[in-house]
Amino acid sequence: MAKSRWLILPGAVVILGMLCVAVFSLGVYLGKHGLTQDGLQYQTPRTNGAQPPGDAPAFGLAGAPARTPEAAGLIRRITPAQVELATREGPRTILLNDAAEVRLEDGRIGSRSDLKPGDLIAVFGQWTEGAERELEAEVIVRLPKQ
Amino acid sequence: MSEPTSRWTDRWIAAGLGFFALLVYLRTLTPSLSFLSPDGSELATVPAILGLAHPPGYPLYTWLGFFFSRLLPVGDVAHRMNMMSAVLGAVGVSALYLLVVRLLPTERVGLLWRRCAAALAALLFAFSLTFWSQAVIAEVYAPNIGLIGLTLLLLLRWERTRSLLDFSFFALTFGLSLGTHMSNLGLAPAMALFILLTVFAAPGAPNPGQKGPIAGRRVWELAGLVIVGAAAFGLGAAQFLWLPLRASTINDPLSIKIAPVTLANLYQYTLGAFTQLRFAFPLGALPDRVVIYIYFLIQQYGLGGILLGAAGLGSLLVHRPRHFYLLVGMYLVNVWFFTQYRAFDLEVFFIPAHYLWAVLLAFGVVEVLYGLGWMASRIGVHLGRGCLSSGMRAGLAVLILLPSLTPIRRNWEKNNLSDDTAINDFYANVWERLPAQSALITPRGVFGYDAFYWQLIYDTRPDVLLPLLPSPNPSPASLADREVFGTTRTVSSKGGMFAPPADLTPTDSWILPVLFGQQPEKQIGRREQLALYQYSKTPPELAIRGAAPAVVTHADFGPAVLVGADISAQPVESGGVLEISLYWSSRGPAPLRVTLRLGSQVLEQHEVGFGLLSRYVREVGIGPGEWIVDRYAVVIPSSVPPGRYTLTLSPQVGQSPAILSSASAALGVIEVIDEMEAMEQWLRAAGSSSPGR
């Protein structure tokens, strides 16, 4: 034991560090999400290009592309060129262009004016090329209020 | 018991545990292709044709797969690739037992209890949620665990013998393991530290005849290890020279840009691949990412397993400090790297960390047993050998192993993919239905392999053109004079780079689903998307007048009334199709999605009018008194047992408040028969005369 003390001490520091990171992370998580699984979303879209029959909705909403949305969150601010969202992964800016389509909760086609700060939306779109990858919206679905 | 005898006993126990795991994996094995992994169909296909998989290429996986696909005399090629995962996953389980039983501290508890702890850890890992799921499909993760386990065993063997030959076996295996997952390279620093500690801090090599000061001898030993290790590792890693030889087989739009035909591209294809996914999160997101990892760990071992592992950390450090740096170093690199990795199948990347956690867990179990023994001795009960009857010792051993049954029971339903026949059932019918000289448009690259598999392996329907198979950017002229079908109707401008190019078919084509594969409520990967579409320049017949459906229902679904239906003749063979026509009287433009069930099993879900109604109304029009007709075929899964089932149609609940959630319509009773084995049906559809092909 005495011989390997110089090995054990740094190892103890490693264990302590691991425990601290785990406890700190759990604390931050609980502060942000409470005792829920809200922060456990880790899946990003599968860009396989396939689409179910009949414009199938991703989450029971007609008109939405049948894949996981690229982003979902509450609208903080909306301008003609972009939407600022509060998402589970932090704030995110979504680029808008004229071709972006807005769908309402019941599947009807809406317009930009139907989107207001505080609305919960799901965004389907394409990531721009380059180092600063940004999400350009193709379809925005306004989700039912919980 | 003498040491060699004890070692052989451990080898037999390890083989038994691996065999038991293999039996369970084979019982729950996916019969053929699966969508559980996004790359599964590609990884089931490429080895049999010695092609090149997506980055980083997986040469060793490909070569091993080639032998499995050629040598195993059962099932189709995809089935054999699934079996390879099961076999090499079981090898990993055996290796875990041997690893643990050799590391557990002899001074804490007796051999029997150490074996129990090691067996418990091996079984808990074998049937943990994520690893088990990968051991029943064609994927790299289970074979990779087999390679990691062998690498660690060989490293421990070198530690014991300090022989250069053993070290070269270790280094060679480690180099080879890069061919099942490149991330293994991240384990190298911990291994290097362990080797250094072993050379300089452990008792010297068993070579008493060697002269010279100890420090000098160790420097020479290290120099020998570096030279031999580098050579053997380089030999293993040289497998990647295979990539340029097969670069011409790549048909993936992403990979083709970095086809490994130059040194720079070889780097991009291997070490430089997926850089956009690495370290993809800002510092502020890391606590959430760490919690996601902890959540995965709980999914594998439960809270008890986490606590035992945490106790094991301390025990490992105190009793095996050098091995602590090896195992915990490897563990931390895996967790640190992949918590910051952006992937939709993130859970599978932590499997090596779970493997290493099982070692910690065993150390924790030993500490608990030691604590129990100590407490028992305080009240005058001695648990040592000779103090307990052999019956009591056996009973206690069973008690220790009992928790290993829990994950089998808990994870069985999720990981039993033995009835996941959806892809093969769908394609067996696709190949039978496609007209002669037609074309089938598929997604590009790895996502097209559920169709490519058949032609690449079995040369199925060579008259049918798969335009995306040879190249991700085919010419629209290649489709001239062919009836065009597709398994997707999304094009690249909307569906990402793996969707077919937008200019392949006219943008104003009518794309009508004509065949649905099984689309269950429980989403398994992309299984919900199995549909065959027919492309046409002229509008389909979506509205008719004067039909006389055989089944009259007049069921009110809210936005539309189901007037009636026609169902094809019966009985139907499981794995075959039902032809269905649904007649609707629409009340307005609100979309209506419906679900078709056979008994309680969901067969398919679609939108009335297949999403084409608004265009149809605009361009063709629906006259008064005309009904909308959904005419299509639906696959009866070959996993459906023979019997009589009620076919019902109901609206998809929750899509709109206007829909009556309780409405549903019975379309009749369907008699399903099962005269032919599923595999026989698939091989017949593939055009293979013998399963050995």
Side-chain angles (χ1 to χ4, degrees), chain A residues 41-92:
Chain A
Q41 305 298 323
Y42 61 91
Q43 293 192 326
T44 49
R46 294 162 188 244
T47 51
N48 57 9
Q51 184 181 354
D55 287 329
F59 17 68
L61 289 169
R67 60 176 201 262
T68 313
E70 276 72 26
L74 289 172
I75 298 178
R76 288 283 181 235
R77 190 163 161 265
I78 182 164
T79 69
Q82 60 186 43
V83 184
E84 287 176 16
L85 280 189
T87 74
R88 284 171 178 158
E89 294 176 333
R92 182 170 283 180

Tab-separated table of all heavy atoms in Angstrom, chain A residues 41-92:
chain	number	residue	atom	x	y	z
A	41	GLN	N	-33.460	14.776	-24.143
A	41	GLN	CA	-33.588	14.650	-25.598
A	41	GLN	C	-32.203	14.752	-26.215
A	41	GLN	O	-31.498	15.714	-25.984
A	41	GLN	CB	-34.466	15.776	-26.147
A	41	GLN	CG	-35.819	15.864	-25.498
A	41	GLN	CD	-36.648	14.605	-25.729
A	41	GLN	OE1	-36.581	14.028	-26.802
A	41	GLN	NE2	-37.388	14.184	-24.718
A	42	TYR	N	-31.834	13.755	-26.985
A	42	TYR	CA	-30.527	13.812	-27.609
A	42	TYR	C	-30.572	13.473	-29.074
A	42	TYR	O	-29.554	13.486	-29.746
A	42	TYR	CB	-29.568	12.849	-26.907
A	42	TYR	CG	-30.014	11.407	-26.984
A	42	TYR	CD1	-29.595	10.593	-28.019
A	42	TYR	CD2	-30.882	10.893	-26.041
A	42	TYR	CE1	-30.023	9.276	-28.090
A	42	TYR	CE2	-31.315	9.597	-26.113
A	42	TYR	CZ	-30.881	8.784	-27.136
A	42	TYR	OH	-31.319	7.482	-27.215
A	43	GLN	N	-31.762	13.166	-29.576
A	43	GLN	CA	-31.821	12.710	-30.954
A	43	GLN	C	-31.932	13.871	-31.920
A	43	GLN	O	-32.786	14.730	-31.773
A	43	GLN	CB	-33.004	11.777	-31.143
A	43	GLN	CG	-32.799	10.493	-30.364
A	43	GLN	CD	-33.771	9.431	-30.741
A	43	GLN	OE1	-34.903	9.730	-31.051
A	43	GLN	NE2	-33.344	8.195	-30.703
A	44	THR	N	-31.051	13.889	-32.886
A	44	THR	CA	-31.127	14.860	-33.972
A	44	THR	C	-31.701	14.139	-35.188
A	44	THR	O	-31.773	12.929	-35.208
A	44	THR	CB	-29.739	15.414	-34.290
A	44	THR	OG1	-28.842	14.324	-34.434
A	44	THR	CG2	-29.247	16.329	-33.192
A	45	PRO	N	-32.128	14.877	-36.217
A	45	PRO	CA	-32.880	14.229	-37.291
A	45	PRO	C	-32.066	13.206	-38.054
A	45	PRO	O	-30.859	13.331	-38.205
A	45	PRO	CB	-33.245	15.393	-38.197
A	45	PRO	CG	-32.284	16.458	-37.874
A	45	PRO	CD	-31.957	16.308	-36.436
A	46	ARG	N	-32.772	12.196	-38.541
A	46	ARG	CA	-32.168	11.222	-39.440
A	46	ARG	C	-32.388	11.757	-40.839
A	46	ARG	O	-33.512	11.824	-41.315
A	46	ARG	CB	-32.893	9.882	-39.318
A	46	ARG	CG	-32.714	9.244	-37.974
A	46	ARG	CD	-33.784	8.190	-37.753
A	46	ARG	NE	-33.697	7.734	-36.382
A	46	ARG	CZ	-33.378	6.492	-36.049
A	46	ARG	NH1	-33.145	5.598	-36.942
A	46	ARG	NH2	-33.309	6.136	-34.790
A	47	THR	N	-31.348	12.162	-41.508
A	47	THR	CA	-31.511	12.778	-42.825
A	47	THR	C	-31.481	11.710	-43.904
A	47	THR	O	-30.647	11.712	-44.760
A	47	THR	CB	-30.387	13.775	-43.074
A	47	THR	OG1	-29.157	13.117	-42.821
A	47	THR	CG2	-30.507	14.986	-42.211
A	48	ASN	N	-32.429	10.792	-43.801
A	48	ASN	CA	-32.432	9.699	-44.776
A	48	ASN	C	-33.245	10.031	-46.008
A	48	ASN	O	-33.252	9.281	-46.963
A	48	ASN	CB	-32.965	8.423	-44.134
A	48	ASN	CG	-34.340	8.609	-43.564
A	48	ASN	OD1	-34.966	9.641	-43.793
A	48	ASN	ND2	-34.813	7.638	-42.836
A	49	GLY	N	-33.970	11.142	-45.977
A	49	GLY	CA	-34.698	11.552	-47.162
A	49	GLY	C	-35.996	10.820	-47.382
A	49	GLY	O	-36.738	11.142	-48.288
A	50	ALA	N	-36.276	9.812	-46.600
A	50	ALA	CA	-37.527	9.096	-46.808
A	50	ALA	C	-38.674	9.831	-46.142
A	50	ALA	O	-38.472	10.618	-45.223
A	50	ALA	CB	-37.420	7.697	-46.239
A	51	GLN	N	-39.852	9.578	-46.613
A	51	GLN	CA	-41.019	10.249	-46.049
A	51	GLN	C	-42.191	9.290	-46.085
A	51	GLN	O	-42.424	8.639	-47.097
A	51	GLN	CB	-41.335	11.484	-46.879
A	51	GLN	CG	-42.475	12.298	-46.327
A	51	GLN	CD	-42.754	13.504	-47.201
A	51	GLN	OE1	-42.045	13.780	-48.142
A	51	GLN	NE2	-43.815	14.208	-46.889
A	52	PRO	N	-42.919	9.149	-44.997
A	52	PRO	CA	-44.038	8.229	-44.987
A	52	PRO	C	-45.146	8.672	-45.936
A	52	PRO	O	-45.167	9.809	-46.373
A	52	PRO	CB	-44.531	8.261	-43.546
A	52	PRO	CG	-43.461	8.880	-42.788
A	52	PRO	CD	-42.745	9.785	-43.721
A	53	PRO	N	-46.025	7.754	-46.211
A	53	PRO	CA	-47.085	8.059	-47.159
A	53	PRO	C	-47.988	9.181	-46.673
A	53	PRO	O	-48.193	9.344	-45.475
A	53	PRO	CB	-47.859	6.752	-47.255
A	53	PRO	CG	-47.498	6.004	-46.029
A	53	PRO	CD	-46.103	6.398	-45.691
A	54	GLY	N	-48.518	9.889	-47.599
A	54	GLY	CA	-49.566	10.845	-47.281
A	54	GLY	C	-49.136	11.993	-46.426
A	54	GLY	O	-49.884	12.432	-45.564
A	55	ASP	N	-47.951	12.536	-46.643
A	55	ASP	CA	-47.496	13.672	-45.836
A	55	ASP	C	-47.744	13.414	-44.370
A	55	ASP	O	-48.320	14.251	-43.661
A	55	ASP	CB	-48.204	14.960	-46.259
A	55	ASP	CG	-47.689	15.440	-47.593
A	55	ASP	OD1	-46.511	15.199	-47.901
A	55	ASP	OD2	-48.473	16.027	-48.328
A	56	ALA	N	-47.335	12.257	-43.919
A	56	ALA	CA	-47.651	11.862	-42.554
A	56	ALA	C	-47.056	12.825	-41.545
A	56	ALA	O	-45.937	13.284	-41.706
A	56	ALA	CB	-47.087	10.476	-42.292
A	57	PRO	N	-47.797	13.157	-40.513
A	57	PRO	CA	-47.279	14.080	-39.515
A	57	PRO	C	-46.269	13.408	-38.597
A	57	PRO	O	-46.347	12.208	-38.364
A	57	PRO	CB	-48.525	14.472	-38.718
A	57	PRO	CG	-49.419	13.310	-38.856
A	57	PRO	CD	-49.142	12.706	-40.199
A	58	ALA	N	-45.339	14.191	-38.096
A	58	ALA	CA	-44.325	13.635	-37.210
A	58	ALA	C	-44.881	13.368	-35.825
A	58	ALA	O	-44.466	12.459	-35.144
A	58	ALA	CB	-43.148	14.579	-37.108
A	59	PHE	N	-45.777	14.235	-35.388
A	59	PHE	CA	-46.330	14.003	-34.051
A	59	PHE	C	-47.826	14.250	-34.049
A	59	PHE	O	-48.342	15.061	-33.311
A	59	PHE	CB	-45.650	14.887	-32.994
A	59	PHE	CG	-44.892	16.043	-33.556
A	59	PHE	CD1	-45.557	17.088	-34.166
A	59	PHE	CD2	-43.523	16.061	-33.496
A	59	PHE	CE1	-44.857	18.143	-34.689
A	59	PHE	CE2	-42.813	17.113	-34.027
A	59	PHE	CZ	-43.474	18.161	-34.619
A	60	GLY	N	-48.502	13.561	-34.934
A	60	GLY	CA	-49.950	13.646	-34.980
A	60	GLY	C	-50.462	14.932	-35.578
A	60	GLY	O	-51.616	15.275	-35.405
A	61	LEU	N	-49.630	15.689	-36.279
A	61	LEU	CA	-50.090	16.937	-36.877
A	61	LEU	C	-49.992	16.830	-38.383
A	61	LEU	O	-48.922	16.603	-38.931
A	61	LEU	CB	-49.227	18.106	-36.398
A	61	LEU	CG	-49.450	18.486	-34.950
A	61	LEU	CD1	-48.386	19.446	-34.497
A	61	LEU	CD2	-50.824	19.099	-34.773
A	62	ALA	N	-51.133	16.954	-39.044
A	62	ALA	CA	-51.122	16.865	-40.493
A	62	ALA	C	-50.331	18.032	-41.078
A	62	ALA	O	-50.345	19.140	-40.546
A	62	ALA	CB	-52.550	16.899	-41.011
A	63	GLY	N	-49.657	17.767	-42.155
A	63	GLY	CA	-48.923	18.829	-42.840
A	63	GLY	C	-47.476	18.923	-42.449
A	63	GLY	O	-46.677	19.524	-43.156
A	64	ALA	N	-47.121	18.322	-41.338
A	64	ALA	CA	-45.721	18.390	-40.903
A	64	ALA	C	-44.926	17.288	-41.590
A	64	ALA	O	-45.440	16.202	-41.787
A	64	ALA	CB	-45.630	18.208	-39.394
A	65	PRO	N	-43.671	17.574	-41.982
A	65	PRO	CA	-42.863	16.491	-42.543
A	65	PRO	C	-42.731	15.353	-41.543
A	65	PRO	O	-42.728	15.579	-40.342
A	65	PRO	CB	-41.498	17.158	-42.775
A	65	PRO	CG	-41.788	18.604	-42.861
A	65	PRO	CD	-42.958	18.844	-41.953
A	66	ALA	N	-42.629	14.158	-42.087
A	66	ALA	CA	-42.604	12.981	-41.210
A	66	ALA	C	-41.200	12.660	-40.748
A	66	ALA	O	-40.627	11.646	-41.101
A	66	ALA	CB	-43.206	11.806	-41.950
A	67	ARG	N	-40.619	13.541	-40.016
A	67	ARG	CA	-39.327	13.251	-39.414
A	67	ARG	C	-39.213	14.100	-38.159
A	67	ARG	O	-40.056	14.965	-37.916
A	67	ARG	CB	-38.187	13.555	-40.388
A	67	ARG	CG	-38.120	15.002	-40.852
A	67	ARG	CD	-36.873	15.201	-41.739
A	67	ARG	NE	-36.487	16.591	-41.795
A	67	ARG	CZ	-36.815	17.400	-42.796
A	67	ARG	NH1	-37.568	16.972	-43.781
A	67	ARG	NH2	-36.404	18.658	-42.790
A	68	THR	N	-38.228	13.851	-37.397
A	68	THR	CA	-38.018	14.642	-36.191
A	68	THR	C	-37.670	16.069	-36.612
A	68	THR	O	-36.851	16.255	-37.507
A	68	THR	CB	-36.853	14.054	-35.388
A	68	THR	OG1	-37.037	12.655	-35.303
A	68	THR	CG2	-36.799	14.664	-34.002
A	69	PRO	N	-38.287	17.077	-35.988
A	69	PRO	CA	-37.933	18.451	-36.387
A	69	PRO	C	-36.492	18.775	-36.038
A	69	PRO	O	-35.933	18.226	-35.097
A	69	PRO	CB	-38.915	19.309	-35.584
A	69	PRO	CG	-39.383	18.450	-34.480
A	69	PRO	CD	-39.295	17.040	-34.946
A	70	GLU	N	-35.920	19.655	-36.810
A	70	GLU	CA	-34.539	20.054	-36.555
A	70	GLU	C	-34.441	20.884	-35.280
A	70	GLU	O	-33.407	20.910	-34.616
A	70	GLU	CB	-33.981	20.859	-37.733
A	70	GLU	CG	-33.427	20.004	-38.872
A	70	GLU	CD	-34.522	19.300	-39.660
A	70	GLU	OE1	-35.664	19.808	-39.672
A	70	GLU	OE2	-34.261	18.234	-40.240
A	71	ALA	N	-35.508	21.606	-34.953
A	71	ALA	CA	-35.508	22.398	-33.716
A	71	ALA	C	-36.948	22.538	-33.225
A	71	ALA	O	-37.889	22.489	-34.019
A	71	ALA	CB	-34.912	23.784	-33.965
A	72	ALA	N	-37.093	22.689	-31.938
A	72	ALA	CA	-38.422	22.929	-31.365
A	72	ALA	C	-38.239	23.788	-30.127
A	72	ALA	O	-37.281	23.609	-29.373
A	72	ALA	CB	-39.098	21.613	-31.008
A	73	GLY	N	-39.123	24.744	-29.955
A	73	GLY	CA	-39.012	25.587	-28.772
A	73	GLY	C	-40.000	26.736	-28.807
A	73	GLY	O	-40.867	26.825	-29.693
A	74	LEU	N	-39.862	27.610	-27.814
A	74	LEU	CA	-40.753	28.766	-27.700
A	74	LEU	C	-40.169	29.949	-28.471
A	74	LEU	O	-38.968	30.217	-28.408
A	74	LEU	CB	-40.890	29.173	-26.233
A	74	LEU	CG	-41.693	28.237	-25.332
A	74	LEU	CD1	-41.563	28.694	-23.885
A	74	LEU	CD2	-43.159	28.227	-25.748
A	75	ILE	N	-41.040	30.644	-29.182
A	75	ILE	CA	-40.575	31.825	-29.917
A	75	ILE	C	-40.285	32.943	-28.915
A	75	ILE	O	-41.127	33.291	-28.090
A	75	ILE	CB	-41.634	32.315	-30.929
A	75	ILE	CG1	-41.897	31.227	-31.966
A	75	ILE	CG2	-41.188	33.605	-31.603
A	75	ILE	CD1	-42.946	31.583	-32.976
A	76	ARG	N	-39.054	33.453	-28.966
A	76	ARG	CA	-38.703	34.610	-28.147
A	76	ARG	C	-38.911	35.896	-28.937
A	76	ARG	O	-39.404	36.884	-28.414
A	76	ARG	CB	-37.230	34.506	-27.722
A	76	ARG	CG	-36.989	33.436	-26.682
A	76	ARG	CD	-37.436	33.906	-25.310
A	76	ARG	NE	-37.207	32.911	-24.285
A	76	ARG	CZ	-38.148	32.440	-23.480
A	76	ARG	NH1	-39.384	32.856	-23.605
A	76	ARG	NH2	-37.859	31.551	-22.559
A	77	ARG	N	-38.519	35.865	-30.204
A	77	ARG	CA	-38.568	37.072	-31.024
A	77	ARG	C	-38.697	36.627	-32.473
A	77	ARG	O	-38.122	35.609	-32.866
A	77	ARG	CB	-37.269	37.863	-30.803
A	77	ARG	CG	-37.258	39.237	-31.401
A	77	ARG	CD	-36.130	40.049	-30.767
A	77	ARG	NE	-35.816	41.187	-31.617
A	77	ARG	CZ	-34.858	41.205	-32.529
A	77	ARG	NH1	-34.105	40.133	-32.697
A	77	ARG	NH2	-34.637	42.247	-33.283
A	78	ILE	N	-39.458	37.362	-33.249
A	78	ILE	CA	-39.577	37.010	-34.665
A	78	ILE	C	-39.432	38.258	-35.529
A	78	ILE	O	-40.005	39.316	-35.227
A	78	ILE	CB	-40.912	36.264	-34.939
A	78	ILE	CG1	-40.993	35.855	-36.418
A	78	ILE	CG2	-42.133	37.061	-34.541
A	78	ILE	CD1	-42.058	34.797	-36.678
A	79	THR	N	-38.617	38.150	-36.562
A	79	THR	CA	-38.430	39.244	-37.527
A	79	THR	C	-38.672	38.630	-38.907
A	79	THR	O	-38.777	37.409	-39.040
A	79	THR	CB	-37.001	39.795	-37.454
A	79	THR	OG1	-36.102	38.797	-37.974
A	79	THR	CG2	-36.591	40.163	-36.035
A	80	PRO	N	-38.747	39.446	-39.951
A	80	PRO	CA	-38.966	38.868	-41.284
A	80	PRO	C	-37.855	37.908	-41.697
A	80	PRO	O	-38.077	37.013	-42.502
A	80	PRO	CB	-38.982	40.098	-42.194
A	80	PRO	CG	-39.415	41.212	-41.315
A	80	PRO	CD	-38.838	40.922	-39.974
A	81	ALA	N	-36.657	38.070	-41.141
A	81	ALA	CA	-35.526	37.248	-41.591
A	81	ALA	C	-35.220	36.071	-40.673
A	81	ALA	O	-34.582	35.118	-41.101
A	81	ALA	CB	-34.278	38.119	-41.715
A	82	GLN	N	-35.666	36.153	-39.432
A	82	GLN	CA	-35.304	35.067	-38.518
A	82	GLN	C	-36.240	34.951	-37.321
A	82	GLN	O	-36.965	35.889	-36.992
A	82	GLN	CB	-33.859	35.230	-38.039
A	82	GLN	CG	-33.607	36.518	-37.296
A	82	GLN	CD	-32.124	36.669	-36.976
A	82	GLN	OE1	-31.276	36.402	-37.821
A	82	GLN	NE2	-31.826	37.090	-35.763
A	83	VAL	N	-36.198	33.770	-36.712
A	83	VAL	CA	-36.945	33.532	-35.473
A	83	VAL	C	-35.933	33.167	-34.402
A	83	VAL	O	-35.045	32.349	-34.642
A	83	VAL	CB	-37.914	32.330	-35.622
A	83	VAL	CG1	-38.747	32.170	-34.365
A	83	VAL	CG2	-38.807	32.494	-36.810
A	84	GLU	N	-36.068	33.794	-33.251
A	84	GLU	CA	-35.210	33.400	-32.130
A	84	GLU	C	-36.010	32.487	-31.218
A	84	GLU	O	-37.082	32.850	-30.750
A	84	GLU	CB	-34.724	34.637	-31.376
A	84	GLU	CG	-33.673	35.402	-32.148
A	84	GLU	CD	-33.266	36.690	-31.440
A	84	GLU	OE1	-33.563	36.831	-30.233
A	84	GLU	OE2	-32.681	37.553	-32.110
A	85	LEU	N	-35.468	31.316	-31.011
A	85	LEU	CA	-36.176	30.292	-30.230
A	85	LEU	C	-35.481	30.020	-28.907
A	85	LEU	O	-34.248	30.066	-28.837
A	85	LEU	CB	-36.181	28.964	-30.984
A	85	LEU	CG	-37.174	28.724	-32.099
A	85	LEU	CD1	-37.107	27.254	-32.512
A	85	LEU	CD2	-38.579	29.048	-31.644
A	86	ALA	N	-36.263	29.722	-27.891
A	86	ALA	CA	-35.699	29.161	-26.654
A	86	ALA	C	-35.933	27.670	-26.731
A	86	ALA	O	-37.077	27.210	-26.714
A	86	ALA	CB	-36.404	29.747	-25.447
A	87	THR	N	-34.859	26.904	-26.907
A	87	THR	CA	-35.005	25.458	-27.026
A	87	THR	C	-34.396	24.782	-25.800
A	87	THR	O	-33.753	25.443	-24.976
A	87	THR	CB	-34.286	24.916	-28.290
A	87	THR	OG1	-32.879	24.932	-28.044
A	87	THR	CG2	-34.601	25.752	-29.514
A	88	ARG	N	-34.568	23.492	-25.731
A	88	ARG	CA	-34.007	22.751	-24.593
A	88	ARG	C	-32.495	22.765	-24.615
A	88	ARG	O	-31.844	22.504	-23.626
A	88	ARG	CB	-34.501	21.311	-24.634
A	88	ARG	CG	-35.929	21.206	-24.184
A	88	ARG	CD	-36.439	19.832	-24.444
A	88	ARG	NE	-37.806	19.727	-23.957
A	88	ARG	CZ	-38.671	18.832	-24.388
A	88	ARG	NH1	-38.325	17.980	-25.299
A	88	ARG	NH2	-39.889	18.798	-23.904
A	89	GLU	N	-31.948	23.021	-25.791
A	89	GLU	CA	-30.490	23.054	-25.884
A	89	GLU	C	-29.958	24.471	-25.813
A	89	GLU	O	-28.802	24.711	-26.141
A	89	GLU	CB	-30.046	22.390	-27.192
A	89	GLU	CG	-30.357	20.916	-27.234
A	89	GLU	CD	-30.014	20.282	-28.566
A	89	GLU	OE1	-30.017	21.002	-29.589
A	89	GLU	OE2	-29.734	19.085	-28.575
A	90	GLY	N	-30.827	25.416	-25.429
A	90	GLY	CA	-30.409	26.805	-25.347
A	90	GLY	C	-31.002	27.623	-26.477
A	90	GLY	O	-31.747	27.115	-27.312
A	91	PRO	N	-30.681	28.939	-26.515
A	91	PRO	CA	-31.248	29.793	-27.552
A	91	PRO	C	-30.753	29.393	-28.935
A	91	PRO	O	-29.628	28.939	-29.085
A	91	PRO	CB	-30.743	31.187	-27.166
A	91	PRO	CG	-29.628	30.976	-26.231
A	91	PRO	CD	-29.794	29.640	-25.600
A	92	ARG	N	-31.619	29.542	-29.912
A	92	ARG	CA	-31.231	29.159	-31.274
A	92	ARG	C	-31.919	30.117	-32.257
A	92	ARG	O	-33.070	30.485	-32.071
A	92	ARG	CB	-31.663	27.729	-31.552
A	92	ARG	CG	-31.255	27.261	-32.910
A	92	ARG	CD	-31.474	25.789	-33.052
A	92	ARG	NE	-30.445	25.021	-32.389
A	92	ARG	CZ	-30.415	23.703	-32.366
A	92	ARG	NH1	-31.367	23.014	-32.936
A	92	ARG	NH2	-29.433	23.061	-31.772
